[in-house]
Amino acid sequence: MLDEPRAARRETEAAERLDQDVRSGAISIGYQTREDSDLMRLAQANDTAAFDELVSRYRDRVYALAAAAFSDPERIGDVVCEAFLYAYRNIARARTTRPDAWFYISALRAVFVIATPPTCPGSHGA
């Protein structure tokens, strides 16, 4: 027969370790249940599953911004792709833990990139 206070203490310690592991990200309880700011921090630490979850949460907003700028479905798709590529490639340098701000900035940048025609060096005439 175990000493009841000792057994209760072990259970409490185990629960505290589990809670700490979940909060630190060592154990995942599922990305769908995490706060956006937690996902942003994980994505900034190269957690691609966290970034994927953020994309699924923000793709409609990015699409809406692109659709407000362009009517051509191909250009809208280009903006969405460009926005998420930029966001992924540069997320470690983001100075925010707010993914709504980060994806909005990335989408606006993508609108400008897609709207600006490419320039070729030396194409300004002879």
Side-chain angles (χ1 to χ4, degrees):
M1 184 168 146
L2 281 177
D3 180 42
E4 286 188 31
R6 187 181 304 164
R9 189 171 50 245
R10 283 185 190 157
E11 288 178 14
T12 300
E13 289 170 355
E16 288 171 353
R17 280 192 307 273
L18 179 61
D19 182 59
Q20 184 179 15
D21 287 346
V22 168
R23 289 179 189 273
S24 72
I27 296 175
S28 175
I29 56 172
Y31 289 103
Q32 296 83 9
T33 60
R34 289 190 180 251
E35 296 289 323
D36 285 356
S37 58
D38 291 338
L39 291 170
M40 184 73 172
R41 281 190 290 275
L42 289 168
Q44 287 172 319
N46 296 321
D47 186 329
T48 56
F51 185 81
D52 290 346
E53 178 62 26
L54 287 170
V55 168
S56 72
R57 292 182 188 186
Y58 287 92
R59 71 174 148 230
D60 291 342
R61 294 179 211 182
V62 170
Y63 182 89
L65 192 142
F70 300 106
S71 59
D72 177 20
E74 187 173 324
R75 291 187 96 183
I76 293 168
D78 290 346
V79 168
V80 172
C81 288
E82 177 68 26
F84 287 121
L85 279 171
Y86 177 83
Y88 180 75
R89 289 178 180 152
N90 295 284
I91 199 163
R93 292 185 290 203
R95 293 186 178 139
T96 182
T97 57
R98 291 186 46 209
D100 57 335
W102 182 243
F103 286 119
Y104 184 74
I105 289 166
S106 298
L108 282 177
R109 182 197 164 279
V111 166
F112 290 120
V113 166
I114 300 303
T116 306
T119 57
C120 297
S123 66
H124 295 289

